[in-house]
Amino acid sequence: MEGDQDTSDFTLVTRKPCFGLPTACPNCLPAYIYLKLAQLPFQLAFNSTFPDSEELPYFESGTYVAYNNEDGGVIEKLEKDGIVNLDSQLQSLPDYLSLKALIVSWLDEALTYEIWVGTEGASASKIYYSDLPWVIGKVLFYKQTYLTKKRLGLTKENAEQREKLIYKRASEAYEALSTRLGEQKFLFEDRPSSLDAFFLSHMLFTIQVLPETSVLRHKLLEQSNLVRYAERLKSEFLEESSSSPSPPLHSFPSSFPGKGSKTKSKPKAEKSEEEKKFKKRARFFLAAQFLAVVIYVSVMGGVSSDEVEYEDDD
């Protein structure tokens, strides 16, 4: 899609808005913010049919689609294909890779831990499973929690040690980013980058979604210049310009419109047809998930609850 591009049919498909954010999905929010920082006009659409789909978010324009689970994710795919690239002159800088490692490795790991383990899924169910029947939602939540603990290498024996390491790394990352940023507008002085999109997304999610008791949230709020950084970018890129003062970071408006994008709207009759179509697909999805859970429980049937929770090696 190099060359002249018709931006009128650019669409970003994400999980639904929640907690005052345009999308409460921690995987979708960076892509949304990236397009906002690039000031690329796009429409915003939501898909709650497959709550555990790894394809979300995805960006589409005509026959072109960039999925989250392909080619390094939506942002990297858009940069490779020449649709939009905020990092073209930054990737050779010595600080770029080190900052990227802090944000997409240490901070991403810490946020994942907080969502599924540290806060015991206080927000995860609302983000991913609130549109599903209660039983199915609970089963999928426990399944994802188990997979997350496995991915993070958490066992019954090392849980406390791993938790300390995760929070220690997050604290060090915040301190390093605070020092690097100072009072600059962006991480790289006067121009936005994908790292700003990832970091701003992390900050907004941590402050807006995680409960006040969250350890990660507390560590982030200790860095006052990072909070000011998030306030500035949120006000400039993610809110409609208005004469009224911007609300504080911990109190987003219930709706989250932004310049350069519009939420897709369709006539009621057309929307009703689409909902019927999605409901039919959802039935097959729920049936498949239920069968998968039954098989999973059958396989794990001989394992005690502690072993399932921590993948005990005994």
Side-chain angles (χ1 to χ4, degrees), residues 6-292:
D6 179 9
T7 63
S8 62
D9 63 345
F10 284 174
T11 301
L12 180 68
V13 182
T14 70
R15 291 185 174 88
K16 65 183 181 179
C18 198
F19 297 101
L21 294 173
T23 171
C25 167
N27 293 328
C28 302
L29 192 55
Y32 176 89
I33 294 176
Y34 182 84
L35 296 177
K36 286 292 188 177
L37 293 179
Q39 299 187 40
L40 183 75
F42 66 97
Q43 294 183 313
L44 183 62
F46 306 108
N47 188 332
S48 301
T49 308
F50 301 100
D52 58 351
S53 172
E54 295 182 355
E55 293 183 348
L56 290 172
Y58 60 85
F59 179 93
E60 59 183 2
S61 176
T63 59
Y64 174 88
V65 184
Y67 291 107
N68 177 61
N69 60 344
E70 294 180 355
D71 297 319
V74 171
I75 293 176
E76 189 168 330
K77 176 69 172 172
L78 294 180
E79 291 183 343
K80 286 180 179 178
D81 293 342
I83 294 177
V84 58
N85 190 345
L86 294 177
D87 299 345
S88 58
Q89 300 178 26
L90 300 175
Q91 293 173 337
S92 60
L93 297 179
D95 288 346
Y96 179 85
L97 291 179
S98 59
L99 290 178
K100 185 174 183 178
L102 290 178
I103 297 169
V104 304
S105 179
W106 285 8
L107 292 185
D108 181 68
E109 179 184 66
L111 186 58
T112 299
Y113 178 84
E114 280 285 84
I115 293 172
W116 298 100
V117 183
T119 60
E120 299 180 342
S123 55
S125 294
K126 188 172 182 180
I127 295 169
Y128 296 100
Y129 310 124
S130 60
D131 294 330
L132 298 177
W134 184 85
V135 174
I136 298 296
K138 278 295 182 183
V139 170
L140 292 180
F141 168 75
Y142 287 127
K143 173 189 172 185
Q144 185 59 44
T145 301
Y146 170 78
L147 293 175
T148 299
K149 289 178 179 179
K150 184 176 181 180
R151 180 164 67 87
L152 294 176
L154 287 168
T155 66
K156 184 177 181 180
E157 288 74 17
N158 73 1
E160 184 176 350
Q161 180 182 0
R162 284 286 294 149
E163 180 183 85
K164 289 180 179 178
L165 178 61
I166 288 171
Y167 287 137
K168 179 176 180 292
R169 285 177 172 175
S171 183
E172 291 174 352
Y174 289 146
E175 291 173 5
L177 287 162
S178 175
T179 301
R180 174 70 175 80
L181 181 67
E183 293 301 328
Q184 295 175 173
K185 183 176 182 179
F186 302 109
L187 288 172
F188 291 94
E189 298 182 359
D190 60 346
R191 59 178 300 167
S193 69
S194 65
L195 300 190
D196 289 291
F198 283 115
F199 189 38
L200 181 58
S201 170
H202 172 89
M203 291 190 66
L204 298 183
F205 190 96
T206 300
I207 296 173
Q208 282 298 121
V209 179
L210 298 183
E212 293 185 0
T213 55
S214 163
V215 175
L216 189 65
R217 186 176 187 273
H218 176 72
K219 290 182 179 295
L220 173 58
L221 292 177
E222 290 176 347
Q223 307 297 332
S224 59
N225 69 322
L226 296 184
V227 177
R228 290 193 296 273
Y229 157 85
E231 272 282 6
R232 287 194 299 268
L233 296 189
K234 175 180 77 78
S235 177
E236 180 173 350
F237 292 96
L238 304 184
E239 294 176 345
E240 281 187 324
S241 58
S242 64
S243 57
S244 59
S246 173
L249 186 57
H250 54 77
S251 178
F252 282 99
S254 58
S255 61
F256 207 117
K259 61 183 179 181
S261 70
K262 300 184 224 177
T263 302
K264 277 191 171 180
S265 61
K266 295 183 179 180
K268 287 186 178 180
E270 190 173 341
K271 186 176 180 182
S272 176
E273 291 293 326
E274 185 175 336
E275 286 178 348
K276 289 178 181 178
K277 175 183 173 183
F278 277 137
K279 284 180 180 179
K280 289 180 181 179
R281 293 178 61 196
R283 291 192 191 102
F284 289 106
F285 166 74
L286 294 177
Q289 286 290 342
F290 181 76
L291 289 175

